[in-house]
């Protein structure tokens, strides 16, 4: 039975196709092999002992950790452990911009889901579920609210799915996960790399730090649709010739073939938007940061009239404009216990799965200002 939690915050379930049908599919998932792994029993996991070993594999790829109370002793970590994975099912978690008033309302009927919101209230200091279900939209759209809201609601959606007929079977079938930007934290929590509470504390700080960095500079983002990455880079180069260093732009997100987000100073983004038609872009979607909680989102399809709607993604995310947020995030990550994920989690920075907790921390810190 499908889950009607909310389409914007449900983890997307992906299933790989047989090789004979992959050529006609628009979905391509990287190849990964978990078949050689033997996991410890769930009983051992619940008692605080985590570990696994390879069957007939390379002995250098062995890791075990023993957790007793708050003490964790790492025996060995190989960051390349998941590089040969071959997934069958994946969860893809959403990032900022997916929030919508009304999300999370099904949590009222699922105790495990509503419990997550109760835990979140203690950490955040406000009623998150009330904000998610009732708004106001302007408040939910702010970076400091939307990031924790999407993280909690995404994991609550998993609990709603778990409570449905066949839901646990679907969850158990997932053998790789990832998420867009903020969604990587949700994916790591789902994969057991850190607790729900620790992940929420990181996401709360991340949202605050990114909001402060966005408020400190006149920055913006524009999505360029209908060009390949080389053409978008040429478009950025042309725009950068017309603006000062402080307003330069760069590709921030490789969203999918033909859709790339460009971030930088407002004047640079305006130059990209103005030049996009001459580069034969099909459409541009531009986001201007007007004030702390309001962002003007304009669609230009280069041939028809402008249309204007609201979207809550602020500032030049994943560029050097976010540099002030990095040090705060590094300090928080250093103080957080991160364990090896139980399944591969694909990084936004390098599109690879990482097993080493120290590497995961570095990747998460780099993520906010890396493109």
């Amino acid at each position: 039975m499908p889950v009607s939690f909310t389409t914007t915050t449900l983890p997307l379930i992906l299933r790989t196709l047989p090789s004979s049908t992959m050529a006609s599919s628009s979905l391509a998932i990287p190849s990964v092999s978990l078949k050689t792994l033997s996991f410890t029993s769930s009983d051992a996991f619940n008692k605080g002992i985590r570990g696994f070993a390879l069957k007939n594999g390379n002995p250098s790829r062995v890791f075990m950790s023993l957790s007793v109370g708050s003490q964790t002793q790492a025996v060995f970590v190989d960051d390349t452990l998941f590089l040969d994975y071959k997934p069958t099912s994946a969860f893809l978690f959403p990032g900022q911009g997916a929030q919508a008033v009304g999300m999370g309302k099904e949590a009222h009927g699922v105790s495990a889901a509503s419990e997550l919101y109760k835990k979140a209230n203690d950490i955040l200091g406000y009623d998150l579920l009330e904000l998610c279900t009732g708004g106001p939209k302007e408040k939910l759209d702010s970076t400091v609210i939307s990031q924790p809201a999407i993280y909690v609601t995404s994991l609550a959606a998993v609990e709603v799915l778990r409570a449905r007929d066949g839901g646990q079977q679907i969850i158990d079938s997932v053998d790789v996960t990832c998420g867009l930007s903020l969604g990587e934290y949700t994916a790591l929590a789902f994969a057991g790399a850190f607790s729900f509470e620790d992940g929420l504390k990181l996401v709360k700080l991340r949202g605050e730090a990114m909001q402060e960095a966005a408020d400190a500079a006149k920055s913006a983002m524009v999505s360029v649709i209908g060009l390949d990455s080389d053409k978008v880079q040429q478009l950025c180069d042309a725009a950068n010739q017309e603006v000062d260093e402080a307003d330069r732009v760069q590709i921030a997100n490789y969203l999918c073939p033909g859709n790339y987000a460009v971030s930088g100073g407002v004047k640079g983004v305006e130059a990209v938007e103005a030049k996009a038609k001459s580069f034969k872009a099909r459409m541009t979607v531009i986001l201007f940061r007007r004030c702390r909680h309001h962002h003007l989102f304009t669609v230009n399809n280069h041939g028809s009239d402008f249309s204007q709607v609201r979207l809550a993604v602020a500032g030049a995310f994943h560029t050097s404009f976010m540099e002030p947020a990095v040090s705060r995030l590094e300090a928080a990550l250093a103080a957080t216990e991160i364990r090896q994920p139980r399944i591969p989690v694909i990084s936004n920075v390098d599109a690879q799965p990482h097993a080493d907790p120290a590497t995961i921390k570095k990747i998460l810190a780099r993520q906010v200002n890396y493109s």
Side-chain angles (χ1 to χ4, degrees), residues 3 51 60 63 111 124 158 178 234 240 268 276 283 292 343 351:
V3 181
S60 67
F63 170 84
S111 59
L124 300 173
V158 173
C178 55
Q234 292 172 21
N240 286 336
M283 182 183 294
R292 183 175 179 86
I343 58 175

Side-chain angles (χ1 to χ4, degrees), residues 57-78:
N58 187 332
S60 67
R61 290 188 174 187
V62 178
F63 170 84
M64 177 177 284
S65 71
L66 177 63
S67 299
V68 180
S70 61
Q71 301 297 316
T72 299
Q73 181 179 1
V75 179
F76 182 79
V77 175
D78 180 0

Side-chain angles (χ1 to χ4, degrees), residues 76-331:
F76 182 79
V77 175
D78 180 0
D79 191 54
T80 65
L81 182 65
F82 294 134
L83 285 185
D84 297 327
Y85 70 111
K86 291 180 181 176
T88 59
S89 302
F91 269 2
L92 173 62
F93 291 96
Q96 189 177 348
Q99 70 275 1
V101 175
M103 68 184 192
K105 59 184 179 182
E106 288 84 356
H108 289 294
V110 179
S111 59
S114 60
E115 183 62 27
L116 293 181
Y117 285 101
K118 291 177 182 177
K119 291 179 179 179
N121 295 346
D122 293 337
I123 293 171
L124 300 173
Y126 55 83
D127 192 330
L128 181 63
L129 185 56
E130 182 179 324
L131 267 175
C132 288
T133 57
K137 182 181 185 299
E138 291 76 14
K139 192 169 184 179
L140 181 62
D141 282 350
S142 67
T143 298
V144 294
I145 301 294
S146 63
Q147 291 201 19
I150 292 167
Y151 171 85
V152 175
T153 303
S154 296
L155 292 172
V158 173
E159 296 306 319
V160 171
L161 174 61
R162 195 190 308 276
R164 301 293 179 89
D165 290 342
Q168 185 63 57
Q169 183 179 357
I170 293 173
I171 293 169
D172 291 342
S173 74
V174 174
D175 48 19
V176 65
T177 184
C178 55
L180 177 60
S181 189
L182 158 71
E184 187 171 342
Y185 286 78
T186 318
L188 285 164
F190 174 77
F194 43 65
S195 67
F196 167 81
E197 293 87 350
D198 284 348
L200 179 56
K201 291 173 185 177
L202 288 172
V203 168
K204 176 179 181 290
L205 181 140
R206 182 181 188 266
E208 293 168 350
M210 292 176 72
Q211 182 70 68
E212 288 178 9
D215 289 342
K218 295 179 180 179
S219 60
M221 297 183 75
V222 59
S223 182
V224 180
I225 301 170
L227 299 178
D228 62 30
S229 58
D230 290 340
K231 279 288 186 181
V232 176
Q233 184 57 58
Q234 292 172 21
L235 175 58
C236 290
D237 293 341
N240 286 336
Q241 291 178 5
E242 299 186 1
V243 298
D244 295 335
E245 183 73 23
D247 280 309
R248 289 174 67 87
V249 295
Q250 66 186 77
I251 299 176
N253 299 110
Y254 292 75
L255 300 171
C256 65
N259 190 351
Y260 303 91
V262 172
S263 294
V266 169
K267 290 182 179 179
V269 168
E270 289 175 335
V272 167
E273 202 272 342
K275 291 178 176 294
K277 185 175 181 179
S278 66
F279 278 76
K280 303 188 184 303
R282 182 166 58 86
M283 182 183 294
T284 54
V285 180
I286 190 166
L287 299 84
F288 286 108
R289 188 176 66 82
R290 299 290 185 176
C291 62
R292 183 175 179 86
H293 298 315
H294 293 83
H295 317 285
L296 180 63
F297 174 93
T298 343
V299 177
N300 182 0
N301 56 13
H302 303 299
S304 62
D305 295 335
F306 280 108
S307 61
Q308 294 182 341
V309 295
R310 292 283 182 181
L311 186 72
V313 177
F317 291 172
H318 306 294
T319 70
S320 58
F321 281 84
M322 292 292 109
E323 187 64 34
V326 175
S327 59
R328 288 185 61 188
L329 196 51
E330 284 176 335

